[in-house]
Amino acid sequence: MVSFKQLALLALGAVQVQAQCVGPAINSAALNLIKEFEGWRPNIYRDPVGLPTVGYGHLCRDSSCSDVPYPIPLSVANGERLLRSDLATYQNCITMQTASSVVLNANQYGALVSWAFNVGCGATSTSTLIRRLNAGESPNTVAAQELPRWNKAGGQVLPGLVRRRAAEVELHRTSTSVRALPACS
């Protein structure tokens, strides 16, 4: 019989292992894709759904972007630092949301991180795309069928999102021997 204390320690151990697992950094192809589609804006602006944004698509917590640790207008160097910092969240969510049986190369992973950066970790966590990957379906088939469905903002199809999803599918299909996932076993 396992005691409550043993179960609690086991649960804490699992949490510690999970907390130590960090999603790998994306490759330059994925970073360039994100930068291309997010665009560069050194000053605060409103995104297509009206949210305050700065740099390469950094969503601000308030209208003055007080959460940004760099002076605004941003320099390009600080904008890239902010983007890389922001990407850590989305690299981790794709890493943690995919089962350890899901094998992705660096381009496939980068395409999914781009998608997560655009739609958010909450949306990816409940997506059919992640569910299908975790069920063992072919990553290229899943991405080709599911990514194009994520083409709306504010309920409207946006041509920019249609182009972005097509670029993510193309990157996802680009072979490379560099493996990204599973990152944690």
Side-chain angles (χ1 to χ4, degrees), residues 26-173:
I26 59 171
N27 64 15
S28 61
L31 183 64
N32 289 336
L33 185 151
I34 292 167
K35 288 167 71 174
E36 175 187 342
F37 282 97
E38 291 297 333
W40 167 247
R41 304 273 296 266
N43 291 300
I44 301 168
Y45 66 98
R46 299 275 174 185
D47 75 0
V49 294
L51 300 173
T53 308
V54 70
Y56 292 108
H58 172 82
L59 287 178
C60 301
R61 292 192 182 123
D62 57 48
S63 61
S64 65
C65 293
S66 64
D67 59 302
V68 175
Y70 308 109
I72 295 174
L74 289 174
S75 67
V76 173
N78 284 340
E80 288 191 18
R81 285 184 194 96
L82 184 60
L83 175 59
R84 287 182 186 279
S85 174
D86 287 347
L87 286 172
T89 297
Y90 304 96
Q91 291 163 175
N92 288 336
C93 81
I94 292 299
T95 299
M96 299 311 294
Q97 290 170 5
T98 52
S100 61
S101 58
V102 175
V103 176
L104 298 176
N105 71 39
N107 289 329
Q108 293 169 323
Y109 171 73
L112 296 184
V113 170
S114 172
W115 165 64
F117 184 75
N118 186 237
V119 304
C121 291
T124 61
S125 71
T126 59
S127 69
T128 303
L129 189 155
I130 295 294
R131 190 168 39 253
R132 288 178 65 189
L133 286 176
N134 289 340
E137 293 187 48
S138 163
N140 283 337
T141 299
V142 171
Q145 292 173 351
E146 296 294 333
L147 283 173
R149 298 175 65 204
W150 294 83
N151 63 357
K152 297 176 186 71
Q156 301 295 315
V157 173
L158 297 183
L161 289 179
V162 172
R163 287 191 308 275
R164 183 177 186 150
R165 298 290 99 88
E168 289 165 349
V169 169
E170 184 179 334
L171 177 60
H172 198 282
R173 288 181 172 159

